[in-house]
Amino acid sequence: MASANLMTRSPSLTMAMSIIRPLKETAPAPARLPFPSGAQQAYIDLQRVANESSEGQAANQQVQALSEERIRAIETRSVELRGSQQKLQQNANVMSAEAQLQLQRDIDRLNIEVQRLTQDAEAEVAELQQTLQIEFQQKLVPAIDRVAASRGLQFIFSVGDGGLIWANPALDITTDVVEELNKAAQPTP
């Protein structure tokens, strides 16, 4: 129940978990200060959770691998396209009109193929990002709930959503959430 409430109260939770995009540089974790006893509020840096947790790193690696695979396929077709374009430019004077027309058709076909490959790759990467983001959120929310319950917290604010201007660094539970996520990701013996 607490997980559902957290998701409805924090629509920016999904936006802040850009785990699928290339890892953004985040400030290194400050030295941990003791959590103030009796504190009922805390804050979290969701981007840091995505960057530092094993779940976030694994998701980023999956997206990066798919992106690199698709880029290689696009580059292969692009090389073929450039080769055909060069051939047409260099040999236009010695080619028959029919051969030039056929080569131009091949160039047009390759150009369209490269465009389609690019669009398909972007759509496939976006779909994987969305899937992984949902999976990450399904694991993140319970981890946040467990940390909140163990600390007796009533509110947790997000650093990246622009509503937090300043907070006592001792109230940062980012590392706790990363540890909780990593602990939950480890296989049980």
Side-chain angles (χ1 to χ4, degrees):
M1 181 89 171
S3 297
N5 289 337
L6 179 61
M7 286 191 290
T8 57
R9 284 183 274 154
S10 183
S12 58
L13 184 63
T14 304
M15 282 180 23
M17 292 180 299
S18 304
I19 61 169
I20 331 298
R21 296 183 186 115
L23 290 175
K24 293 181 181 178
E25 291 294 321
T26 57
R32 291 201 62 180
L33 300 171
F35 194 80
S37 93
Q40 293 187 336
Q41 299 88 23
Y43 66 91
I44 185 172
D45 183 343
L46 293 171
Q47 188 62 54
R48 239 183 73 212
V49 172
N51 290 349
E52 295 176 11
S53 68
S54 57
E55 295 287 339
Q57 290 171 358
N60 272 315
Q61 288 171 354
Q62 280 183 272
V63 171
Q64 194 168 3
L66 178 63
S67 295
E68 289 170 358
E69 180 183 324
R70 296 303 178 254
I71 287 170
R72 281 191 300 274
I74 292 166
E75 285 175 352
T76 299
R77 285 295 189 207
S78 294
V79 166
E80 190 178 335
L81 173 62
R82 284 189 300 274
S84 293
Q85 289 170 332
Q86 281 181 333
K87 182 178 177 182
L88 181 62
Q89 286 176 345
Q90 293 171 352
N91 299 325
N93 295 336
V94 295
M95 294 176 74
S96 68
E98 186 178 307
Q100 284 181 9
L101 184 59
Q102 182 58 45
L103 189 53
Q104 185 59 53
R105 286 184 187 144
D106 290 345
I107 289 171
D108 292 343
R109 179 187 51 78
L110 283 169
N111 202 7
I112 290 170
E113 194 174 328
V114 167
Q115 289 174 2
R116 286 184 182 154
L117 283 172
T118 302
Q119 290 170 349
D120 291 349
E122 288 171 355
E124 196 174 349
V125 168
E127 184 179 323
L128 179 61
Q129 286 175 328
Q130 187 175 33
T131 299
L132 293 173
Q133 196 164 351
I134 289 167
E135 291 172 5
F136 185 75
Q137 184 171 341
Q138 289 171 343
K139 295 171 185 173
L140 176 64
V141 171
I144 293 172
D145 285 345
R146 288 189 297 273
V147 171
S150 74
R151 298 264 188 202
L153 299 174
Q154 298 297 315
F155 293 97
I156 298 175
F157 298 94
S158 175
V159 169
D161 292 334
L164 187 65
I165 296 173
W166 181 89
N168 180 343
L171 296 172
D172 184 357
I173 60 168
T174 303
T175 302
D176 298 327
V177 173
V178 169
E179 290 170 357
E180 187 65 34
L181 258 176
N182 290 343
K183 184 171 67 173
Q186 294 175 350
T188 53

